[in-house]
Amino acid sequence: MQEDIGSGDVTSGIITNRKIVAKIITRQACVVAGVRFAKEIFTMNGCRARILRKDGSHARPNQTVLEISGPARSILKCERTALNLLSRMSGIATSTNEIVRIVKSASPKTDIYSTRKTAPGLRFFDKEAVMIGGGKKHRVALSDMIMIKDNHIAAEGSIIELIRLAKKKSDRFEVEVDTQHDAILAASLGTPIIMLDNFTPQKISSTILALKKLRAAEQGET
């Protein structure tokens, strides 16, 4: 709100501050996300807001998502911030839901996770939107879990040494690899979570098959 209003909404300041009613209406089919945050934006500025389509619900075009009543100046100074957040989150949730639907139809046990590649300051909302759309949260912050990426390996010079150090710190960590060889190496060293970075679907299939063979061989030895 501070970012948008600055020192004051000078345009709304010249209109009559009568009580008005406003509605937020969908323009296309979507998964609604962020409506509770949009409501909070209005209520914290002296307006009343009633949710008509809850987060996670599927909406058709021209359906009312939120109904707001209150002083005209208050509604007008809040509308863009509320709409921006609601539109962004609903867009993310809608896209996520479509991806999840396609993936689950092919592989019911496969989940979709979000990344940290978000707009600064909006990560909480972006990741909430992914979850509302049927996805799951990966790391929210660097403090959540050790995740060894290509730049860590480049800086340290050894994936083997980094895995050794990570195992000393935690029994739950992740290693990003960009070759099948490194995926098998990481697995053989006891890495619990392996991220296949920029693999084609065919390469993912062959790598998973190789990892299954490695697991079978290890279990046979034990």
Side-chain angles (χ1 to χ4, degrees):
M1 289 297 301
Q2 181 61 48
E3 176 186 56
D4 201 37
I5 295 171
S7 60
D9 180 2
V10 294
T11 309
S12 295
I14 67 174
I15 68 169
T16 304
N17 198 27
R18 61 170 59 94
K19 184 175 180 179
I20 63 171
V21 176
K23 296 178 180 180
I24 295 177
I25 300 170
T26 58
R27 297 302 185 199
Q28 64 188 72
C30 67
V31 175
V32 177
V35 68
R36 67 187 189 277
F37 299 123
K39 177 184 177 180
E40 182 63 24
I41 289 170
F42 287 109
T43 56
M44 69 188 290
N45 285 279
C47 305
R48 292 183 178 228
R50 184 164 66 101
I51 294 174
L52 298 178
R53 304 294 301 182
K54 294 182 179 179
D55 284 340
S57 63
H58 290 256
R60 300 186 304 275
N62 299 315
Q63 287 192 311
T64 301
V65 174
L66 191 67
E67 187 175 83
I68 310 104
S69 61
R73 292 174 186 171
S74 296
I75 291 177
L76 290 170
K77 78 176 182 180
C78 294
E79 63 162 337
R80 180 44 55 195
T81 302
L83 285 169
N84 284 353
L85 191 58
L86 183 59
S87 297
R88 180 183 178 86
M89 290 186 67
S90 294
I92 292 171
T94 302
S95 296
T96 301
N97 190 255
E98 178 65 13
I99 294 168
V100 168
R101 185 188 64 78
I102 293 170
V103 169
K104 290 290 187 183
S105 67
S107 178
K109 292 183 178 180
T110 302
D111 294 317
I112 297 296
Y113 283 80
S114 58
T115 76
R116 285 173 43 253
K117 297 173 184 177
T118 57
L122 291 174
R123 180 173 298 160
F124 170 83
F125 301 105
D126 287 356
K127 284 185 172 282
E128 282 290 303
V130 167
M131 194 168 67
I132 291 169
K136 295 187 176 182
K137 296 178 183 179
H138 196 229
R139 293 188 305 171
V140 176
L142 292 171
S143 57
D144 288 346
M145 181 180 65
I146 293 174
M147 180 176 165
I148 301 168
K149 294 171 61 68
D150 53 355
N151 288 336
H152 299 113
I153 297 168
E156 184 66 22
S158 171
I159 186 174
I160 296 173
E161 178 63 13
L162 285 172
I163 291 173
R164 184 186 70 80
L165 294 170
K167 289 174 73 172
K168 285 185 175 182
K169 291 281 188 179
S170 175
D171 58 0
R172 184 176 182 271
F173 62 93
E174 184 170 343
V175 175
E176 177 186 273
V177 299
D178 54 18
T179 67
Q180 181 171 306
H181 173 271
D182 283 349
I184 295 171
L185 174 62
S188 66
L189 293 172
T191 302
I193 306 171
I194 298 173
M195 177 186 288
L196 308 181
D197 184 41
N198 293 325
F199 279 43
T200 63
Q202 294 76 16
K203 195 174 178 183
I204 290 172
S205 295
S206 64
T207 301
I208 289 175
L209 181 61
L211 290 170
K212 285 181 176 179
K213 288 181 179 179
L214 174 65
R215 177 184 294 173
E218 291 176 343
Q219 290 175 344
E221 291 174 0
T222 58

